[in-house]
């Protein structure tokens, strides 16, 4: 609904100078209607999806796709919206999430222009294989990102500061992918949401779109101590300051240590 667009612009306005996403950049979509999604994405060649979203029931924005003034729908958030009203919404293990994902992928394939999809596995994901199997059946090349660590907000983030953590990226071999247990999120170093967002964009710029891969992302053992650049430092030459660190992480990916431990199990299932 329109409330999501408002929330997006609050984030943009606080981190980027004169940034604003108007109606030409934010398109409301009825995720239950594949044809409606196709109309919104038919000119795109890449997309970013989540697995299990945080849902919030809201009234459909007037003069969009409502059938009556009282129609209700779900706004969905890739991570967490503080203060979201989550009463009377499908649970995290509901088939509703898989149906949203399936509808979106079907629309991307049928649009005819889509070449690659980046999928972010959210902390609410109960069974990642559900979404990986849907991706495989769709037949569209993908990059699947698993975030190993609790997501936190970098309250000092700005375009001038850019990436704060180079992130450790490791590759999963094909096989059964287990859910990330809750204690892992608590015991691992936290990962900044802003750095994950930058990694999503950098993956589209650095990786081969014709290949599918599953990547595990964790906080780097040596995070950066960013400071506001001096006048001699230029931030207009890169799409994101310090983004070269993420490019290096993506190019130097290794096999996930967690999967090495259970390698015999994961490759036999």
């Amino acid at each position: 609904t329109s409330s999501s667009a408002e929330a997006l612009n609050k984030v943009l306005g606080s981190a980027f100078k004169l940034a604003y996403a108007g109606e030409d950049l934010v398109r409301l979509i009825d995720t239950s209607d594949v044809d409606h999604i196709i109309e919104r994405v038919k000119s795109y060649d890449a997309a970013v999806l989540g697995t299990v979203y945080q849902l919030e029931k809201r009234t459909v924005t007037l003069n969009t796709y409502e059938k009556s003034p009282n129609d209700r729908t779900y706004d969905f958030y890739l991570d967490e919206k503080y203060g979201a009203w989550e009463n009377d919404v499908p649970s995290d293990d509901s088939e509703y999430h898989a149906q949203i994902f399936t509808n979106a992928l079907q629309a991307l394939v049928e649009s005819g222009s889509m070449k690659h999809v980046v999928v972010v596995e959210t902390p609410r994901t109960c069974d990642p294989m559900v979404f990986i199997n849907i991706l495989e059946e769709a037949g569209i090349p993908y990059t699947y990102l698993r975030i190993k660590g609790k997501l936190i907000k970098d309250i000092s983030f700005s375009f001038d500061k850019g990436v704060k953590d180079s992130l450790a990226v490791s590759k999963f071999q094909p096989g059964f992918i287990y859910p990330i247990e809750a204690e892992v999120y608590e015991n691992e170093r936290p990962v900044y949401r802003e750095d994950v967002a930058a990694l999503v964009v950098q993956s589209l710029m650095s990786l081969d779109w014709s290949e599918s891969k599953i990547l595990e992302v964790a906080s780097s053992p040596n995070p950066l101590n960013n400071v506001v650049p001096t006048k001699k430092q230029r931030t207009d030459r890169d799409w994101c300051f310090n983004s070269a660190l993420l490019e290096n992480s993506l190019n130097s990916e290794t096999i996930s240590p967690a999967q090495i431990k259970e390698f015999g199990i994961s490759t036999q299932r």
Side-chain angles (χ1 to χ4, degrees):
T1 66
S2 59
S3 62
S4 294
E6 294 172 6
L8 171 63
N9 280 303
K10 286 182 179 178
V11 173
L12 292 176
S14 64
F16 302 94
K17 298 175 182 177
L18 303 177
Y20 179 77
E23 293 184 358
D24 59 325
L25 298 175
V26 181
R27 304 177 181 180
L28 300 185
I29 297 178
D30 180 1
T31 54
S32 66
D33 186 342
V34 173
D35 291 334
H36 196 269
I37 302 174
I38 292 174
E39 285 299 314
R40 297 298 190 272
V41 302
K42 59 184 179 182
S43 62
Y44 296 171
D45 57 6
V48 179
L49 300 176
T51 48
V52 177
Y53 298 105
Q54 180 188 40
L55 302 176
E56 183 178 28
K57 183 174 282 188
R58 286 184 171 274
T59 302
V60 178
T61 302
L62 293 177
N63 301 317
T64 55
Y65 57 85
E66 81 281 5
K67 297 179 181 178
S68 72
N70 297 320
D71 277 357
R72 306 274 284 179
T73 188
Y74 295 115
D75 263 358
F76 54 90
Y77 312 110
L78 184 61
D79 181 20
E80 290 278 338
K81 179 188 176 186
Y82 179 76
W85 185 256
E86 295 187 71
N87 287 9
D88 193 27
V89 300
S91 61
D92 291 345
D93 59 356
S94 168
E95 292 184 2
Y96 181 83
H97 299 280
Q99 190 59 55
I100 291 178
F101 195 78
T102 300
N103 289 350
L105 276 178
Q106 181 181 344
L108 297 181
V109 171
E110 294 182 7
S111 69
S113 60
M114 195 61 54
K115 299 177 181 177
H116 197 85
V117 179
V118 178
V119 178
V120 180
E121 181 183 304
T122 67
R124 295 171 176 261
T125 305
C126 301
D127 187 356
M129 285 306 301
V130 168
F131 301 94
I132 292 173
N133 287 336
I134 295 172
L135 283 164
E136 290 291 337
E137 291 173 6
I140 187 170
Y142 63 86
T143 299
Y144 187 95
L145 300 178
R146 311 192 76 204
I147 314 304
K148 188 180 179 182
K150 184 177 181 179
L151 290 170
I152 60 173
K153 180 179 180 179
D154 179 5
I155 58 176
S156 65
F157 176 81
S158 69
F159 176 77
D160 290 339
K161 291 183 179 180
V163 172
K164 195 167 188 177
D165 190 331
S166 59
L167 300 178
V169 179
S170 53
K171 183 177 180 180
F172 264 73
Q173 298 299 312
F176 193 87
I177 305 300
Y178 294 96
I180 298 178
E181 298 179 356
E183 51 265 30
V184 172
Y185 286 111
E186 298 300 326
N187 296 332
E188 291 287 332
R189 288 183 297 273
V191 180
Y192 290 109
R193 293 180 173 95
E194 294 79 5
D195 291 343
V196 173
L199 184 69
V200 168
V201 177
Q202 190 63 52
S203 70
L204 288 170
M205 300 172 67
S206 300
L207 301 180
D208 186 345
W209 283 22
S210 65
E211 297 181 359
S212 294
K213 56 181 63 182
I214 302 172
L215 302 178
E216 184 179 81
V217 181
S219 176
S220 170
N222 301 304
L224 305 176
N225 294 317
N226 281 7
V227 296
V228 177
T230 65
K231 292 183 179 180
K232 294 183 180 180
Q233 292 175 298
R234 296 189 59 175
T235 59
D236 59 344
R237 295 180 178 178
D238 298 317
W239 73 269
C240 176
F241 193 59
N242 288 333
S243 59
L245 297 171
L246 298 181
E247 182 179 7
N248 292 337
S249 295
L250 288 167
N251 291 333
S252 60
E253 64 191 28
T254 58
I255 296 178
S256 166
Q259 198 174 38
I260 290 176
K261 184 177 180 181
E262 58 191 24
F263 193 74
I265 299 175
S266 61
T267 57
Q268 293 173 10
R269 294 194 178 188

